Amino acid sequence: MISPELLLQNSVDGIFLGLFYSLVAMGLALIFGVMDIINFAHGDLLMIAAYFVWLTSVDLSVDPTVTALLLIPLFFIIGIGIFFGMIQPVLGKEPLIQIAVTVGLGLILQNIALAMFKAQPKAVPYSIFNFSYSLGPLTIYASKLFIAVISIVTMYALNVFLNKTYIGLAMRSTTDNREVAQLMGINTRMLYAVTFGLGVALIALSSSLWMTFGQVQPYLGTSFSLISWVIVAMGGLGGITGVVYSGLIVGVAESLGSLFLTPSARMAVVYIIFFLVLWFRPRGLFGRR
Amino acid sequence: MVAFGTGSKKIALELLVIAILLAVIPLVLMGNAYYELLAATVVLFSSMVVAWNIIGGYAGQLDLGAFAYVGVGGIITSELWIKAGIPPLLGIFAGGAASLLIAVIIGIPTFRFGIKEVWYALLTAALVVIFNNLSRVLMGPTDYYLPPKTGIIYLKFNSYEIMYAIASVILILTVLANLAIERSKIGYYLKSIREDELAAEMIGIDTRRYKLYALMIYSFFLGVMGYIYIVLAASFSYRMFDSSSSLSIAIMGIIGGLGSIEGGIVSAMVLRSLGEYFRSSFGSTVPGLDLLLYGIVLVIVGIFQPEGIAGIINRINKAMKKKR
């Protein structure tokens, strides 16, 4: 029998995890909303960023959280580079080709990582958040709490950005109606580039957070991709709140799934949610269209 | 899209060329068992790519889950033989049917009109990962072996030459299925769906139903091939549900050119042989080099030559006609 303490512990862990997942999926949701493209290399970009975090924090002996300051601008530029090099040339082509190019990018990143770092998982040796509180029957890990807090702060900032700045408003209007936004004088090409850069920069932030307690190996991207797709399918077009609710659902479901079933069935739970959403609510739980 | 034209004489000629090429290969290999196994694997992979052409090329749906169907079909056929004594010659149909059933369950929600192509691609990519996880729980990490019996009712022989012949027959059957679809109502409907789904729906084509037909044929063929794959690999385990192999089937199909049978065969044979070469020479020092190659070629083809190898064949054909 599962004790109520364990249930509470797993739910709280699930909520922290869910907030982090919504941050991970945010970049994907942003790109999907504005450009109507699903980036299959999303998780693999996170994996590559996590290797950057590992390399910089080991070489410069800094905390993984500090590496975010370096990685966010770097990955913003990398994102813009990927957009002009790979996405822009296929924008007008068949959907299958558009998807395939990002599949190819993911495969390239995964196997470069495999060739360079081998399959052995890598972790950062230390982090200032490696401690935990006891709160009655609950154990709260500082790193997970920290990640959840940063995720909330980032998403709040993103919300302000999307509602108060010109670029943010342009992104929202393009999500609503591409043609009309173009007619209103929005330079969609530059907007796409910035959106892609921003989406990839958010991945860099997520990877710094992940490395405070997680490990990185070349196939890390697969599970993060799957989780992000599910979240975007559920709440992708419902704005930031849609993504956060979906992230929480996935986080809690995964956490409780590993409690009630076996831990290796975690991904199966996520997949079944994905499938059910596509079956019953193909436009998402929080979608507008 | 068919490079050699559509007359039935030309199709017969095309089949003859493929058959002669398939027949010549073993003569060149001259009894080297390793090369014969390799050739059989390459031909089996080509058949998978040609089958993929039905869903990817004609219907325009990016299926990234080939080895989910290969695995289900192969493992069910093998288990039916091991546990229930049903010979694989019959069992492959059950295996194919099982793959078909799973494909239909995936296809029904994602092929609805107005659902973006990407969700089908995502669901199939995820399907392989999930089957990998689930079968690891159900089957454990062990390798399972087929009984040592051989013979035609088991579709299993000790000689790789005969296995090569079986793979060749499967390739020719898959090509025939492709040709039959291409020249039928279904084929025209599928192509119109690929070109413009909205227009297809407007003129009264039940787009979901025809996409499902394509998916059913594709998954059944892959389920049947699964057992031959197990015979060639000599064992099976949860590792059959392999994401990168599934991706490489789709990649070879795209590089060959959507809707092109001969392009698919050429790209599968070239890429699979190159990949095998990379794996045998660098596999221990630089793992994943074959997949890196596939990824790079896919991106280059996607950006610069979306018609793939078929586009190149077409261009050569046109140039030859001009000269005449």
Side-chain angles (χ1 to χ4, degrees), chain B residues 213-249:
Chain B
Y213 287 161
L215 178 61
M216 285 156 83
I217 300 165
Y218 157 72
S219 55
F220 182 81
F221 267 93
L222 282 191
V224 169
M225 288 170 203
Y227 173 72
I228 307 297
Y229 183 85
I230 288 177
V231 173
L232 290 177
S235 69
F236 63 98
S237 70
Y238 76 91
R239 278 180 291 273
M240 265 187 90
F241 297 106
D242 180 32
S243 289
S244 18
S245 303
S246 308
L247 286 184
S248 53
I249 297 291

Side-chain angles (χ1 to χ4, degrees), chain A residues 32 36 38 40 85-86 89-90 93-97 99-101 103-105 107-112 114-115 118 222 226 229 232-233 237 262 264-265 267-268 271 274-275 277-283 289, chain B residues 52 56 60-62 64 105-106 108-110 112-119 121-123 125-127 129-130 133-134 137 194 247 251 254 258 285-288 291-292 294-296 298-299 302-304 306:
Chain A
F32 177 58
D36 217 0
I38 283 281
F40 263 75
M86 287 177 53
V90 296
K93 290 179 184 156
E94 287 179 57
L96 192 149
I97 297 290
I99 307 169
V101 169
V103 171
L105 175 65
L107 205 57
I108 293 172
L109 293 177
Q110 205 175 74
N111 289 290
I112 285 180
L114 185 64
K118 306 287 179 284
T222 314
L226 181 56
W229 300 335
V232 171
L237 290 170
T262 63
S264 45
M267 293 315 283
Y271 181 79
F274 187 17
F275 184 73
V277 167
L278 283 184
W279 194 299
F280 294 109
R281 290 297 308 260
R283 283 174 181 79
R289 274 186 287 187
Chain B
W52 184 89
Q61 304 298 310
L62 183 56
L64 300 173
I105 295 171
I106 298 298
I108 286 174
T110 43
R112 256 176 292 193
F113 177 67
I115 305 292
K116 291 204 177 72
E117 283 85 353
V118 73
W119 300 123
L122 291 172
L123 214 52
L127 187 67
V129 179
I130 296 310
N133 289 354
L134 283 184
V137 175
R194 188 188 71 195
L247 286 184
I251 290 173
I254 295 169
L258 299 176
T285 47
V286 193
L291 295 169
L292 185 61
Y294 295 167
I296 292 172
L298 175 65
V299 171
I303 295 175
F304 299 106

Side-chain angles (χ1 to χ4, degrees), chain B residues 61-74:
Chain B
Q61 304 298 310
L62 183 56
D63 185 290
L64 300 173
F67 271 72
Y69 309 131
V70 171
V72 167

Side-chain angles (χ1 to χ4, degrees), chain B:
Chain B
M1 275 298 195
V2 181
F4 295 157
T6 41
S8 35
K9 254 188 196 171
K10 279 178 180 168
I11 283 175
L13 191 75
E14 194 174 323
L15 276 176
L16 197 67
V17 170
I18 293 173
I20 290 172
L21 276 179
L22 287 172
V24 165
I25 290 172
L27 299 177
V28 182
L29 302 174
M30 289 192 293
N32 181 326
Y34 171 67
Y35 286 127
E36 277 172 1
L37 172 62
L38 200 64
T41 318
V42 169
V43 170
L44 190 65
F45 254 74
S46 312
S47 347
M48 289 179 193
V49 173
V50 174
W52 184 89
N53 187 48
I54 298 172
I55 187 77
Y58 297 141
Q61 304 298 310
L62 183 56
D63 185 290
L64 300 173
F67 271 72
Y69 309 131
V70 171
V72 167
I75 288 173
I76 284 189
T77 309
S78 309
E79 290 288 352
L80 279 177
W81 185 16
I82 296 169
K83 299 252 164 72
I86 297 172
L89 193 59
L90 294 174
I92 51 169
F93 293 102
S99 300
L100 185 146
L101 191 70
I102 284 161
V104 167
I105 295 171
I106 298 298
I108 286 174
T110 43
F111 284 167
R112 256 176 292 193
F113 177 67
I115 305 292
K116 291 204 177 72
E117 283 85 353
V118 73
W119 300 123
Y120 175 71
L122 291 172
L123 214 52
T124 53
L127 187 67
V128 184
V129 179
I130 296 310
F131 275 169
N132 187 303
N133 289 354
L134 283 184
S135 60
R136 186 133 117 215
V137 175
L138 292 175
M139 299 164 66
T142 35
D143 283 325
Y144 294 81
Y145 295 92
L146 293 172
K149 293 176 202 161
T150 53
I152 187 69
I153 59 161
Y154 305 119
L155 287 172
K156 182 168 171 278
F157 294 90
N158 285 328
S159 143
Y160 286 129
E161 263 170 62
I162 303 178
M163 291 315 298
Y164 172 85
I166 292 178
S168 303
V169 170
I170 289 180
L171 175 57
I172 289 177
L173 287 177
T174 321
V175 170
L176 281 174
N178 264 265
L179 290 173
I181 291 168
E182 195 175 284
R183 321 189 81 221
S184 71
K185 192 175 77 175
I186 300 181
Y188 288 109
Y189 281 1
L190 287 176
K191 270 184 254 176
S192 73
I193 293 170
R194 188 188 71 195
E195 296 302 327
D196 192 338
E197 194 173 342
L198 180 66
E201 188 80 22
M202 290 285 281
I203 57 170
I205 298 173
D206 186 346
T207 54
R208 183 207 238 175
R209 184 196 300 182
Y210 286 95
K211 283 193 270 185
L212 270 177
Y213 287 161
L215 178 61
M216 285 156 83
I217 300 165
Y218 157 72
S219 55
F220 182 81
F221 267 93
L222 282 191
V224 169
M225 288 170 203
Y227 173 72
I228 307 297
Y229 183 85
I230 288 177
V231 173
L232 290 177
S235 69
F236 63 98
S237 70
Y238 76 91
R239 278 180 291 273
M240 265 187 90
F241 297 106
D242 180 32
S243 289
S244 18
S245 303
S246 308
L247 286 184
S248 53
I249 297 291
I251 290 173
M252 289 167 192
I254 295 169
I255 292 172
L258 299 176
S260 158
I261 299 164
E262 52 279 350
I265 294 177
V266 170
S267 90
M269 290 196 167
V270 171
L271 285 175
R272 178 70 197 185
S273 313
L274 261 181
E276 202 63 45
Y277 166 73
F278 276 132
R279 213 180 316 177
S280 59
S281 343
F282 306 104
S284 49
T285 47
V286 193
L289 208 58
D290 49 334
L291 295 169
L292 185 61
L293 171 87
Y294 295 167
I296 292 172
V297 178
L298 175 65
V299 171
I300 293 174
V301 166
I303 295 175
F304 299 106
Q305 176 71 29
E307 299 87 28
I309 294 175
I312 298 170
I313 298 179
N314 270 340
R315 235 177 277 166
I316 294 172
N317 268 2
K318 267 184 201 158
M320 298 239 290
K321 269 180 195 159
K322 260 185 200 168
K323 269 186 189 168
R324 262 182 243 159

